[in-house]
CSV table of all heavy atoms in Angstrom, one decimal:
chain,number,residue,atom,x,y,z
M,992,PHE,N,11.2,-97.9,-16.0
M,992,PHE,CA,10.6,-98.6,-14.8
M,992,PHE,C,10.4,-97.5,-13.8
M,992,PHE,O,11.1,-96.7,-13.5
M,992,PHE,CB,11.8,-99.6,-14.2
M,992,PHE,CG,11.4,-100.3,-13.0
M,992,PHE,CD1,10.5,-101.4,-13.2
M,992,PHE,CD2,11.8,-99.8,-11.8
M,992,PHE,CE1,10.2,-102.1,-12.0
M,992,PHE,CE2,11.3,-100.5,-10.6
M,992,PHE,CZ,10.5,-101.7,-10.8
M,993,SER,N,9.0,-97.6,-13.4
M,993,SER,CA,8.5,-96.5,-12.5
M,993,SER,C,8.9,-95.3,-12.8
M,993,SER,O,9.3,-94.4,-12.1
M,993,SER,CB,9.1,-96.9,-11.0
M,993,SER,OG,8.5,-98.1,-10.6
M,994,GLU,N,8.4,-94.9,-14.2
M,994,GLU,CA,8.7,-93.5,-14.7
M,994,GLU,C,10.0,-93.1,-15.1
M,994,GLU,O,10.0,-91.8,-15.3
M,994,GLU,CB,7.6,-92.6,-13.9
M,994,GLU,CG,6.2,-93.0,-13.6
M,994,GLU,CD,5.5,-92.0,-13.0
M,994,GLU,OE1,5.3,-90.8,-13.2
M,994,GLU,OE2,5.1,-92.4,-11.8
M,995,THR,N,10.9,-94.0,-14.8
M,995,THR,CA,12.3,-93.5,-15.0
M,995,THR,C,13.0,-94.4,-15.9
M,995,THR,O,12.8,-95.5,-16.0
M,995,THR,CB,13.1,-93.8,-13.6
M,995,THR,OG1,12.5,-92.9,-12.6
M,995,THR,CG2,14.6,-93.2,-13.8
M,996,GLN,N,13.7,-93.7,-16.9
M,996,GLN,CA,14.5,-94.4,-17.7
M,996,GLN,C,15.6,-95.0,-17.2
M,996,GLN,O,16.7,-94.4,-16.6
M,996,GLN,CB,15.0,-93.5,-19.0
M,996,GLN,CG,15.7,-94.2,-20.1
M,996,GLN,CD,16.4,-93.3,-21.1
M,996,GLN,OE1,17.4,-92.7,-21.2
M,996,GLN,NE2,15.4,-93.0,-22.1
M,997,ARG,N,15.8,-96.5,-17.3
M,997,ARG,CA,16.7,-97.2,-16.4
M,997,ARG,C,17.9,-97.6,-17.3
M,997,ARG,O,19.0,-97.7,-16.9
M,997,ARG,CB,16.1,-98.3,-15.8
M,997,ARG,CG,16.8,-99.1,-14.8
M,997,ARG,CD,16.1,-99.9,-13.9
M,997,ARG,NE,15.2,-101.0,-14.5
M,997,ARG,CZ,14.7,-101.8,-14.0
M,997,ARG,NH1,14.5,-101.8,-12.6
M,997,ARG,NH2,14.0,-102.8,-14.6
M,998,ASN,N,17.6,-97.9,-18.6
M,998,ASN,CA,18.7,-98.3,-19.5
M,998,ASN,C,18.3,-97.6,-20.9
M,998,ASN,O,17.3,-97.3,-21.2
M,998,ASN,CB,18.7,-99.7,-19.7
M,998,ASN,CG,19.1,-100.5,-18.4
M,998,ASN,OD1,20.3,-100.3,-18.1
M,998,ASN,ND2,18.3,-101.2,-17.8
M,999,LYS,N,19.5,-97.4,-21.6
M,999,LYS,CA,19.3,-96.8,-23.0
M,999,LYS,C,20.3,-97.4,-23.9
M,999,LYS,O,21.5,-97.7,-23.6
M,999,LYS,CB,19.7,-95.3,-22.7
M,999,LYS,CG,19.4,-94.5,-24.0
M,999,LYS,CD,19.8,-93.1,-23.9
M,999,LYS,CE,19.2,-92.1,-25.0
M,999,LYS,NZ,19.7,-92.6,-26.3
M,1000,GLY,N,19.7,-97.7,-25.1
M,1000,GLY,CA,20.7,-98.3,-26.1
M,1000,GLY,C,21.4,-97.2,-27.0
M,1000,GLY,O,21.3,-96.1,-26.5
M,1001,ASN,N,21.9,-97.6,-28.0
M,1001,ASN,CA,22.9,-96.7,-28.7
M,1001,ASN,C,22.1,-96.1,-29.8
M,1001,ASN,O,22.4,-96.2,-31.1
M,1001,ASN,CB,24.1,-97.5,-29.2
M,1001,ASN,CG,25.2,-96.5,-29.8
M,1001,ASN,OD1,25.2,-95.3,-29.6
M,1001,ASN,ND2,25.9,-97.0,-30.6
M,1002,PHE,N,21.1,-95.2,-29.5
M,1002,PHE,CA,20.4,-94.4,-30.6
M,1002,PHE,C,20.6,-93.0,-30.4
M,1002,PHE,O,20.8,-92.5,-29.3
M,1002,PHE,CB,18.9,-94.8,-30.6
M,1002,PHE,CG,18.7,-96.0,-31.3
M,1002,PHE,CD1,18.9,-97.3,-30.6
M,1002,PHE,CD2,17.9,-96.1,-32.4
M,1002,PHE,CE1,18.6,-98.4,-31.3
M,1002,PHE,CE2,17.7,-97.2,-33.1
M,1002,PHE,CZ,18.1,-98.4,-32.6
M,1003,PRO,N,20.3,-92.1,-31.5
M,1003,PRO,CA,20.5,-90.7,-31.3
M,1003,PRO,C,19.4,-90.1,-30.5
M,1003,PRO,O,18.4,-90.8,-30.2
M,1003,PRO,CB,20.4,-90.3,-32.7
M,1003,PRO,CG,19.8,-91.3,-33.5
M,1003,PRO,CD,20.2,-92.5,-32.8
M,1004,GLY,N,19.7,-88.9,-30.0
M,1004,GLY,CA,18.7,-88.2,-29.1
M,1004,GLY,C,17.3,-87.8,-29.8
M,1004,GLY,O,16.5,-87.6,-29.0
M,1005,ARG,N,17.2,-88.1,-31.1
M,1005,ARG,CA,15.9,-87.9,-31.6
M,1005,ARG,C,15.0,-89.0,-31.2
M,1005,ARG,O,13.7,-88.8,-31.2
M,1005,ARG,CB,16.0,-88.2,-33.2
M,1005,ARG,CG,16.9,-87.1,-33.8
M,1005,ARG,CD,16.9,-87.3,-35.4
M,1005,ARG,NE,17.4,-88.5,-35.7
M,1005,ARG,CZ,16.5,-89.6,-36.3
M,1005,ARG,NH1,15.3,-89.4,-36.5
M,1005,ARG,NH2,17.0,-90.8,-36.8
M,1006,PHE,N,15.5,-90.0,-30.6
M,1006,PHE,CA,14.6,-91.1,-29.9
M,1006,PHE,C,14.5,-90.8,-28.5
M,1006,PHE,O,15.5,-90.8,-27.8
M,1006,PHE,CB,15.3,-92.4,-30.3
M,1006,PHE,CG,15.2,-92.9,-31.8
M,1006,PHE,CD1,16.2,-92.4,-32.6
M,1006,PHE,CD2,14.3,-93.7,-32.2
M,1006,PHE,CE1,16.1,-92.8,-33.9
M,1006,PHE,CE2,14.2,-94.1,-33.5
M,1006,PHE,CZ,15.2,-93.6,-34.3
M,1007,SER,N,13.3,-90.6,-28.1
M,1007,SER,CA,13.0,-90.4,-26.6
M,1007,SER,C,11.8,-91.1,-26.2
M,1007,SER,O,11.0,-91.7,-27.0
M,1007,SER,CB,12.9,-89.0,-26.4
M,1007,SER,OG,11.8,-88.4,-27.0
M,1008,GLY,N,11.6,-91.3,-24.9
M,1008,GLY,CA,10.5,-91.9,-24.4
M,1008,GLY,C,9.9,-91.5,-23.1
M,1008,GLY,O,10.7,-90.6,-22.5
M,1009,ARG,N,8.9,-92.0,-22.6
M,1009,ARG,CA,8.5,-91.6,-21.3
M,1009,ARG,C,7.6,-92.7,-20.8
M,1009,ARG,O,7.1,-93.5,-21.5
M,1009,ARG,CB,8.0,-90.2,-21.2
M,1009,ARG,CG,6.6,-90.2,-21.9
M,1009,ARG,CD,6.1,-88.6,-21.7
M,1009,ARG,NE,4.9,-88.5,-22.6
M,1009,ARG,CZ,4.1,-87.2,-22.4
M,1009,ARG,NH1,4.3,-86.6,-21.5
M,1009,ARG,NH2,3.1,-87.1,-23.3
M,1010,GLN,N,7.5,-92.8,-19.5
M,1010,GLN,CA,6.6,-93.7,-18.9
M,1010,GLN,C,5.6,-92.9,-17.8
M,1010,GLN,O,6.2,-92.1,-17.1
M,1010,GLN,CB,7.2,-94.9,-18.3
M,1010,GLN,CG,6.3,-96.0,-17.6
M,1010,GLN,CD,7.1,-97.1,-17.0
M,1010,GLN,OE1,8.1,-96.8,-16.3
M,1010,GLN,NE2,6.6,-98.3,-17.2
M,1011,PHE,N,4.4,-93.3,-17.8
M,1011,PHE,CA,3.4,-92.7,-17.0
M,1011,PHE,C,3.3,-93.5,-15.7
M,1011,PHE,O,3.7,-94.6,-15.6
M,1011,PHE,CB,2.0,-92.6,-17.7
M,1011,PHE,CG,2.3,-91.7,-19.1
M,1011,PHE,CD1,2.5,-92.4,-20.2
M,1011,PHE,CD2,2.2,-90.3,-19.0
M,1011,PHE,CE1,2.5,-91.6,-21.3
M,1011,PHE,CE2,2.4,-89.6,-20.1
M,1011,PHE,CZ,2.5,-90.2,-21.4
M,1012,SER,N,2.5,-93.0,-14.8
M,1012,SER,CA,2.3,-93.5,-13.4
M,1012,SER,C,1.6,-94.8,-13.6
M,1012,SER,O,1.7,-95.7,-12.8
M,1012,SER,CB,1.6,-92.5,-12.4
M,1012,SER,OG,0.4,-92.3,-13.0
M,1013,ASN,N,0.8,-95.1,-14.6
M,1013,ASN,CA,0.0,-96.3,-14.8
M,1013,ASN,C,0.9,-97.3,-15.6
M,1013,ASN,O,0.4,-98.4,-16.0
M,1013,ASN,CB,-1.3,-96.1,-15.5
M,1013,ASN,CG,-1.2,-95.5,-16.9
M,1013,ASN,OD1,0.0,-95.2,-17.3
M,1013,ASN,ND2,-2.3,-95.3,-17.5
M,1014,SER,N,2.2,-97.1,-15.7
M,1014,SER,CA,3.1,-97.9,-16.6
M,1014,SER,C,3.1,-97.7,-18.1
M,1014,SER,O,4.0,-98.3,-18.8
M,1014,SER,CB,3.1,-99.3,-16.1
M,1014,SER,OG,3.6,-99.5,-14.8
M,1015,ARG,N,2.0,-97.2,-18.6
M,1015,ARG,CA,1.9,-96.9,-19.9
M,1015,ARG,C,3.1,-96.1,-20.4
M,1015,ARG,O,3.6,-95.3,-19.7
M,1015,ARG,CB,0.7,-96.3,-20.4
M,1015,ARG,CG,0.4,-96.3,-21.9
M,1015,ARG,CD,-1.0,-95.6,-22.1
M,1015,ARG,NE,-1.0,-94.1,-22.0
M,1015,ARG,CZ,-0.6,-93.3,-22.8
M,1015,ARG,NH1,-0.1,-93.6,-24.1
M,1015,ARG,NH2,-0.7,-91.9,-22.5
M,1016,SER,N,3.7,-96.5,-21.7
M,1016,SER,CA,4.8,-95.8,-22.1
M,1016,SER,C,4.6,-95.2,-23.6
M,1016,SER,O,3.7,-95.8,-24.3
M,1016,SER,CB,6.0,-96.8,-22.2
M,1016,SER,OG,7.2,-96.2,-22.7
M,1017,GLU,N,5.2,-94.2,-23.9
M,1017,GLU,CA,5.3,-93.5,-25.2
M,1017,GLU,C,6.6,-93.3,-25.7
M,1017,GLU,O,7.7,-93.2,-24.8
M,1017,GLU,CB,4.5,-92.2,-25.2
M,1017,GLU,CG,3.1,-92.3,-24.9
M,1017,GLU,CD,2.5,-90.9,-25.1
M,1017,GLU,OE1,3.2,-89.9,-25.1
M,1017,GLU,OE2,1.2,-90.7,-25.3
M,1018,MET,N,6.8,-93.5,-27.0
M,1018,MET,CA,8.1,-93.4,-27.6
M,1018,MET,C,7.9,-92.3,-28.6
M,1018,MET,O,6.9,-92.3,-29.5
M,1018,MET,CB,8.6,-94.7,-28.2
M,1018,MET,CG,9.9,-94.6,-28.8
M,1018,MET,SD,10.3,-96.0,-29.8
M,1018,MET,CE,10.4,-95.3,-31.3
Side-chain angles (χ1 to χ4, degrees):
Chain M
F992 180 81
S993 292
E994 302 179 66
T995 301
Q996 186 181 88
R997 193 160 60 174
N998 292 297
K999 189 177 189 307
N1001 190 25
F1002 277 81
R1005 298 185 298 106
F1006 292 81
S1007 63
R1009 59 179 176 168
Q1010 187 180 34
F1011 301 95
S1012 58
N1013 61 359
S1014 294
R1015 190 177 70 84
S1016 177
E1017 288 183 347
M1018 187 192 111

